[in-house]
Each structure stands twice: as structure tokens, then as C-alpha cells.
Amino acid sequence: QVQLVESGGGLVQAGGSLRLSCAASGTIASIGTMAWHRQAPGKQRELVARIYSSGSTLYADSVKGRFTLSRNDAENTVYLQMDRLTVEDTAVYYCRQEVLRFPGDYWIDYWGQGTQVTVSA
């Protein structure tokens, strides 16, 4: 089995910063795309940022220039550095990692349990 454990959420004032981490553990041969999504109350879950195994990244327009995504493949961990936070960034943030458990297996998306980020005015 594969588990994703997220950390780093919390309460911060507008303009502040937070760093989210998501570590995968279990039976893992390789990890492909890593991503963060978020879901605000009453809204659909949306993609925040994605990083491919090549290291290239993609960001939602709403976070470009403020959020930075990085990965540490040796530790199966993805990080989301969030700067200049606004109240609109308040949401539950979910990590997703595309995992190959063993050679010849299918790539499977695993999700974290979610971590709350609250930005106060």
C-alpha cells in the first residue's frame, strides 16, 4: 500500500507564507507527476500546481508568482511554498502523487487526507 502524509497547513494572516509538505511511503518503485489541489467551502476541487518527473511545473493562474512547487525524489516528497497569501487561498489542500508500485504495474493516483489552510484578513 501507499500512503501520503501532508503537513504544514495552519492559520496565517494575509500577506504571510506557509509551506506544505507531502511525503509518500509504502511500496513505491517510481513516482511520476506530483500535484497539489485545493477545495474551498462550497466550491469544486481545483488544481493548484503540478510538477512532472522532469521537474517542469504548471501553476493555476490564481497562484502564479506567489506559489512555488518543488520535489525531492529521494524522499518521495513534494513541497508547496505559498507566499503573499490572500483570504481567497483559504481551502483544504490535497496532495496527489502518481505512483508506480513495482515494474509492470499501472500508474495509480494516490491522495493525501488534506490539510487546512486558513488565511485571515
Side-chain angles (χ1 to χ4, degrees), residues 8-104:
L11 173 64
V12 65
Q13 286 190 326
S17 299
L18 283 174
R19 189 189 194 214
L20 305 183
S21 301
C22 172
S25 63
T27 304
I28 299 170
S30 183
I31 298 180
T33 301
M34 299 178 176
W36 286 92
H37 299 248
R38 67 185 181 187
Q39 188 166 18
K43 294 187 177 181
Q44 289 189 329
R45 189 174 298 188
E46 62 175 359
L47 175 68
V48 175
R50 176 189 296 159
I51 183 166
Y52 298 93
S53 55
S54 63
S56 61
T57 54
L58 179 149
Y59 295 93
D61 287 343
S62 59
V63 306
K64 277 181 184 175
R66 300 188 298 121
F67 290 12
T68 303
L69 193 60
S70 61
R71 61 190 286 166
N72 182 330
D73 288 328
E75 297 183 353
N76 295 332
T77 300
V78 59
Y79 303 96
L80 183 67
Q81 177 66 41
M82 305 186 292
D83 298 319
R84 304 200 308 277
L85 285 159
T86 71
V87 294
E88 287 75 27
D89 295 316
T90 295
V92 178
Y93 284 70
Y94 297 91
C95 167
R96 175 175 61 86
Q97 296 194 27
E98 183 184 49
V99 176
L100 187 72
R101 293 174 298 173
F102 47 83

